[in-house]
Amino acid sequence: MEKYLSKYVPFFTLLALSGLLFLLWNITSLESWNCQTVSTFYQLQKSIQSVLKTSEFLPPVEFNNSFCAHLGQEPTADEAMEENYLLKSIAWPEPSVLGLPLRQSSDPAQSYYTIQDPGDLQVGGQLVVKVQMHNFLDQPKQYGGDFLVARLHTPELAAGVVGQVHDHNKGNYTVFFPLLWAGVAQVELTMIHSSEAVMVLRRLREEQSDRVFFKSLFRSGYLSETTLCNLCLPHKQQPLCNYTDPQTGEPWFCYKPKMLDCDTRINHSKGGYKKHLLTVYETQFFQSGVNIKIPIHSAGMDNVTVQPAKVRTKGMHLESTPSGYYYQGSWRPLSGLVMRQFNASSVITQCLQGKMVYMYGDSTVRQWYEYLISHVPEFKEFNFHSPKNVGPYMAVDSNHNILLRYRCHGPPIRFTSVSSAEMHYISNELDDLRGGSDTVVVISIWGHFSTFPVQEYMRRLRHIRRAVIRLLNREPATLVLIRTANLQKLDPESSLFNSDWFSQQLDAVLRAMFKHLNVHLVDAWEMTLAHHHPHQLHPPPDIISNMVNFILSHICPVKRKKKQG
């Protein structure tokens, strides 16, 4: 049988080739491609290769120092003054001498803290802790700038609160803790980065803002190309496609495809992370188990006993004023808000009845959407065929007239793939809302800006703030909540892109820019730092439930009884 079939192999081969040539001829006729267009077969082959070699997509070698000043709309005179003030307020102390070897940098293992004269500690008072940083030679540091965080906690009570760290710029620090519960409380102090490491991070932020790069796929018919995108691109290398938002002036650019027009862009995605960012000298300041998120131990006792309040401490001046604390695993705000527990789905439904909840931002606010969907079975999700973890998402409880929506913020955003049609800016979305007492707006935008100079983040927040002001002016009863940054797990590589120091800088800017508006902050920084869970970009369910309870407590506050008078 095989012997007879072999006679027909040339015939079938010729027939297949003839069919392929006929197909290509028809495609060429239908598409009316001009002489500048390469063959369809070549483009198909190129598209297949591009899919198979996505991991090889790298930015051009010349692409560096891409941050461009004066992009977007010019700030007003008042906004320019505010920007200068904010930059000064987050300025970080520099080492007195740059370029010191590792052995003269901060060593958390050699450093220590001491509890200052605890005396008779009572609830309502404060605890003072002194910190002395040493280098690897066990010599006292003579300058500040180390990034330290602290908390006071009682594991048996599931209680915790953050401490406020004061840098004296001489290698010593003072930490203040408010005393908010009775019992044995333990001090926990951590060096996230040494002062030397912070200087490296600052250099990266200013000089290597392109260390996370992005890409877009362009497609028309059988032609497809992928090009590099970012907030700013060197325009001398090749022509650019300008996707600057016409309403806000928020800049975004991609290199123009060689064969396609700019209006054929179909998606946005994270391209990857640049490698070899540090010199050999700089690398030594980023070592797991040595100088990244290492505890600092006490030179004596590490805990104190706090007694119930015996005398009134109302007039006592406290250096530390946190937004809240944990007790019995529940977050207790110090703003005066009565924290309610929404443990049953029926209670959540009752609170949200007649409400439209709009969530805008990154994946940390998407966690709240996912929490509500999983805890309230009455929610029915619409299937938009959106990529997983990208959205947009929408759910409805028609029986209780509840609408829940989530949409990611506009670029830069490090998602796997977002349709170009779904790349919306938060400020534009807010301008499209009617608002009112039935409207709740929740915003989280921080993590995807960690690699850019802070001015980029300030500009984005200015546009969002303007939109929030417009929304509250037309409908003052609208409830607006904004999520702050949180701490996360770090290693030598992730520190260069997502360091808590970057997040802390952005967090300080966000708090200052929205301080005097009628908005409420969900203090994710303190809620993650005060908790016993290890730091994660996406906090675990215990913390998420507290955050959602905080939001619902604002939506459905406890009505205070009027005083009889």
Side-chain angles (χ1 to χ4, degrees):
M1 185 71 179
E2 293 181 359
K3 180 175 68 175
Y4 293 106
L5 285 175
S6 61
K7 298 179 180 180
Y8 298 98
V9 169
F11 172 75
F12 285 123
T13 302
L14 181 62
L15 184 63
L17 289 172
S18 300
L20 179 61
L21 289 172
F22 179 75
L23 176 63
L24 294 178
W25 180 83
N26 276 278
I27 291 174
T28 304
S29 300
L30 289 171
E31 297 291 339
S32 301
W33 291 346
N34 57 36
C35 60
Q36 293 180 340
T37 308
V38 297
S39 70
T40 304
F41 179 79
Y42 175 77
Q43 285 300 321
L44 285 170
Q45 184 185 45
K46 185 178 179 181
S47 299
I48 293 170
Q49 289 175 343
S50 68
V51 171
L52 294 175
K53 296 183 178 180
T54 52
S55 61
E56 296 177 12
F57 182 85
L58 295 173
V61 176
E62 300 82 8
F63 184 61
N64 196 10
N65 303 337
S66 64
F67 170 65
C68 301
H70 310 300
L71 286 174
Q73 296 177 355
E74 285 292 326
T76 65
D78 288 342
E79 289 170 341
M81 288 180 60
E82 178 191 43
E83 182 173 305
N84 290 331
Y85 167 78
L86 291 173
L87 290 173
K88 290 179 181 177
S89 69
I90 63 172
W92 203 262
E94 293 188 12
S96 55
V97 180
L98 298 177
L100 293 175
L102 175 66
R103 64 180 180 274
Q104 291 183 256
S105 68
S106 301
D107 179 10
Q110 303 281 0
S111 306
Y112 61 88
Y113 70 83
T114 55
I115 296 174
Q116 297 299 290
D117 188 23
D120 185 19
L121 298 176
Q122 300 179 30
V123 172
Q126 73 178 1
L127 177 67
V128 180
V129 172
K130 297 291 185 179
V131 184
Q132 178 61 59
M133 298 300 296
H134 281 226
N135 59 30
F136 285 84
L137 299 174
D138 200 17
Q139 299 168 337
K141 291 284 293 292
Q142 300 301 316
Y143 52 87
D146 299 299
F147 184 26
L148 310 179
V149 296
R151 75 175 182 126
L152 188 70
H153 65 110
T154 301
E156 296 79 12
L157 298 174
V161 67
V162 303
Q164 186 171 343
V165 180
H166 288 260
D167 186 351
H168 301 293
N169 295 322
K170 296 179 181 178
N172 59 323
Y173 303 76
T174 302
V175 185
F176 298 95
F177 295 101
L179 301 177
L180 302 169
W181 65 88
V184 178
Q186 184 164 340
V187 174
E188 183 179 286
L189 186 66
T190 303
M191 187 190 84
I192 296 182
H193 293 301
S194 67
S195 55
E196 293 78 15
V198 170
M199 291 301 99
V200 177
L201 295 176
R202 191 175 70 175
R203 180 189 69 77
L204 289 177
R205 187 179 66 185
E206 304 305 323
E207 299 178 6
Q208 295 277 353
S209 58
D210 60 310
R211 57 193 183 278
V212 175
F213 55 95
F214 306 88
K215 60 182 180 179
S216 276
L217 175 64
F218 297 76
R219 185 164 60 205
S220 178
Y222 292 98
L223 285 173
S224 66
E225 292 184 59
T226 299
T227 71
L228 194 71
C229 306
N230 219 313
L231 277 171
C232 179
L233 293 172
H235 62 276
K236 294 182 180 180
Q237 294 188 9
Q238 62 189 81
L240 297 177
C241 290
N242 187 349
Y243 299 109
T244 297
D245 179 60
Q247 291 177 255
T248 63
E250 281 292 340
W252 192 255
F253 300 91
C254 295
Y255 282 125
K256 186 182 182 304
K258 292 180 172 61
M259 307 295 302
L260 298 171
D261 293 329
C262 292
D263 59 6
T264 60
R265 183 177 67 142
I266 66 169
N267 74 5
H268 162 94
S269 61
K270 178 183 69 177
Y273 298 87
K274 290 180 69 174
K275 306 292 185 182
H276 313 300
L277 294 168
L278 303 183
T279 64
V280 175
Y281 166 75
E282 292 172 329
T283 303
Q284 61 188 337
F285 301 119
F286 298 90
Q287 301 182 57
S288 295
V290 177
N291 48 20
I292 300 177
K293 284 208 173 185
I294 304 299
I296 295 173
H297 298 290
S298 173
M301 61 180 184
D302 61 1
N303 63 78
V304 295
T305 300
V306 182
Q307 302 295 334
K310 299 175 184 177
V311 295
R312 301 185 70 177
T313 57
K314 188 175 181 180
M316 179 178 290
H317 173 70
L318 299 179
E319 294 290 340
S320 178
T321 54
S323 64
Y325 66 103
Y326 286 105
Y327 190 77
Q328 299 294 356
S330 296
W331 182 252
R332 297 191 175 188
L334 294 175
S335 60
L337 174 74
V338 178
M339 188 76 162
R340 298 178 58 190
Q341 301 301 312
F342 295 82
N343 298 322
S345 64
S346 59
V347 181
I348 299 176
T349 300
Q350 183 182 16
C351 175
L352 293 178
Q353 185 164 354
K355 301 291 185 183
M356 296 178 288
V357 183
Y358 299 90
M359 298 183 178
Y360 303 112
D362 52 37
S363 56
T364 61
V365 76
R366 190 187 69 230
Q367 283 188 281
W368 298 343
Y369 174 92
E370 294 166 345
Y371 178 93
L372 291 171
I373 293 300
S374 63
H375 284 75
V376 182
E378 289 81 4
F379 274 126
K380 305 301 178 187
E381 281 197 275
F382 281 75
N383 184 3
F384 291 131
H385 302 286
S386 303
K388 185 180 179 182
N389 299 333
V390 174
Y393 299 136
M394 184 172 76
V396 171
D397 178 354
S398 55
N399 293 330
H400 299 93
N401 195 28
I402 305 172
L403 171 67
L404 185 63
R405 302 199 67 164
Y406 163 77
R407 178 180 289 280
C408 66
H409 64 71
I413 191 161
R414 303 178 208 164
F415 284 1
T416 51
S417 179
V418 185
S419 168
S420 298
E422 301 296 348
M423 296 297 291
H424 296 195
Y425 289 92
I426 293 176
S427 52
N428 295 341
E429 291 291 304
L430 295 179
D431 283 338
D432 290 338
L433 293 181
R434 174 180 57 83
S437 59
D438 59 352
T439 303
V440 180
V441 174
V442 186
I443 298 170
S444 177
I445 179 168
W446 57 279
H448 299 267
F449 285 80
S450 61
T451 57
F452 294 95
V454 183
Q455 294 92 324
E456 298 283 1
Y457 187 60
M458 292 179 185
R459 185 183 63 236
R460 183 64 58 89
L461 290 187
R462 274 202 300 268
H463 295 143
I464 294 174
R465 184 174 62 183
R466 291 172 186 170
V468 167
I469 292 172
R470 290 191 291 266
L471 174 61
L472 294 177
N473 282 342
R474 64 180 178 267
E475 287 292 349
T478 307
L479 178 62
V480 180
L481 300 107
I482 301 179
R483 185 194 193 281
T484 73
N486 61 259
L487 297 97
Q488 54 189 295
K489 182 180 180 180
L490 296 178
D491 57 33
E493 183 176 12
S494 62
S495 295
L496 309 183
F497 305 96
N498 306 313
S499 169
D500 292 337
W501 183 79
F502 295 135
S503 302
Q504 182 270 346
Q505 294 264 288
L506 300 180
D507 188 58
V509 167
L510 182 141
R511 292 171 189 268
M513 291 186 68
F514 286 90
K515 185 176 182 180
H516 301 295
L517 293 189
N518 185 25
V519 302
H520 304 280
L521 292 184
V522 183
D523 201 331
W525 185 271
E526 290 194 11
M527 295 178 84
T528 51
L529 178 54
H531 207 278
H532 65 83
H533 280 302
H535 302 155
Q536 299 177 33
L537 172 61
H538 299 107
D542 287 357
I543 298 177
I544 295 299
S545 63
N546 274 289
M547 291 176 172
V548 173
N549 284 338
F550 180 84
I551 294 170
L552 294 175
S553 296
H554 275 286
I555 298 173
C556 305
V558 173
K559 295 181 180 179
R560 299 181 182 274
K561 294 181 180 180
K562 294 183 179 180
K563 294 182 179 180
Q564 300 292 329

